[in-house]
Amino acid sequence: MVTDTSQLVDADIITSSLDDPEKFATLFDRYAAMLYRYISFRLGSELTEDLVGETFLIAFRRRGSYDVSYLDARPWLLGIATKLIIRHRRAEVSRYRALRRQAPVQAVDGPEEAITRVLAAQGSRPVLLQALSRLPRGDRDVLLLIAWSDMTYQETARALNIPVGTVKSRLNRARRMVREAMGGINPLKEHTNG
């Protein structure tokens, strides 16, 4: 029986947690900070701790049905978190509107903070936040998973349980809408994400 799960891939940790539930904590150690950043950017810090905990609780309860052919559990966890965020959509849109009215906050290292820092320097932050609040939910989910969680098209498709083609079309539409709102400037680095 494996006692140290720190070197195992996520699928093996989930499998071993079926016999020893405490091993599931390794996934929390690996991904709680990532989920915290993702959820807090989308909804603010008020709900973040609760939703991170709820994400892991749902994942723990569903670990028996996890498809172990996927070695990386990030898309699965981000998919659960995104579905929880959808329940709090009004709070997310309100947060973007409130942030648009505020002065830029001090940036902290991380991908989403780096984007915010660049946008604040350009004075584009309010426009971007307004554009994000106006995106259709599905388009916003895809854009944020790819741009701020560094997910691939395939991982995003798996997280949202949609086809890869849908991910690509939603991302294209979201980027176009953000670019239009920004006056033709795309602050979210367009990268191909295979």
Side-chain angles (χ1 to χ4, degrees):
M1 178 172 260
V2 177
T3 56
D4 178 21
T5 56
S6 64
Q7 301 301 316
L8 294 177
V9 295
D10 298 343
D12 292 339
I13 292 167
I14 293 168
T15 300
S16 68
S17 77
L18 295 172
D19 293 327
D20 185 357
E22 290 184 20
K23 291 184 178 175
F24 196 81
T26 303
L27 289 182
F28 182 87
D29 295 341
R30 284 183 185 176
Y31 300 121
M34 174 205 58
L35 286 170
Y36 190 91
R37 284 189 306 271
Y38 176 68
I39 294 169
S40 68
F41 185 81
R42 292 198 62 182
L43 295 177
S45 59
E46 305 82 34
L47 298 170
T48 301
E49 285 188 37
D50 291 342
L51 291 183
V52 169
E54 192 173 348
T55 297
F56 281 104
L57 180 62
I58 291 168
F60 180 79
R61 288 179 179 157
R62 294 182 184 166
R63 73 191 190 283
S65 62
Y66 182 78
D67 183 350
V68 295
S69 68
Y70 295 106
L71 302 180
D72 182 1
R74 284 179 323 126
W76 179 56
L77 293 169
L78 283 163
I80 293 169
T82 299
K83 287 175 184 151
L84 292 173
I85 289 168
I86 290 167
R87 293 183 192 165
H88 297 279
R89 183 179 184 284
R90 285 190 185 130
E92 179 185 22
V93 170
S94 295
R95 176 168 167 69
Y96 292 144
R97 290 180 182 145
L99 285 171
R100 189 177 74 228
R101 293 185 295 270
Q102 292 178 350
V105 295
Q106 182 65 29
V108 180
D109 287 340
E112 64 274 18
E113 291 85 6
I115 291 171
T116 301
R117 188 169 40 252
V118 169
L119 293 175
Q122 295 175 352
S124 303
R125 186 170 181 250
V127 177
L128 174 64
L129 293 169
Q130 182 175 5
L132 288 173
S133 71
R134 291 183 177 168
L135 286 176
R137 179 192 51 81
D139 294 358
R140 183 175 47 249
D141 291 342
V142 167
L143 178 69
L144 296 178
L145 282 170
I146 289 176
W148 290 331
S149 295
D150 201 29
M151 303 289 283
T152 66
Y153 294 147
Q154 290 79 12
E155 290 169 334
T156 301
R158 193 169 127 231
L160 298 176
N161 197 28
I162 59 176
V164 172
T166 302
V167 168
K168 290 178 181 180
S169 64
R170 287 181 182 178
L171 181 62
N172 184 35
R173 185 172 44 245
R175 283 179 170 161
R176 186 183 72 244
M177 292 174 75
V178 169
R179 213 175 5 258
E180 287 170 6
M182 303 291 296
I185 299 167
N186 186 3
L188 302 172
K189 181 177 90 176
E190 285 193 33
H191 52 79
T192 54
N193 203 340

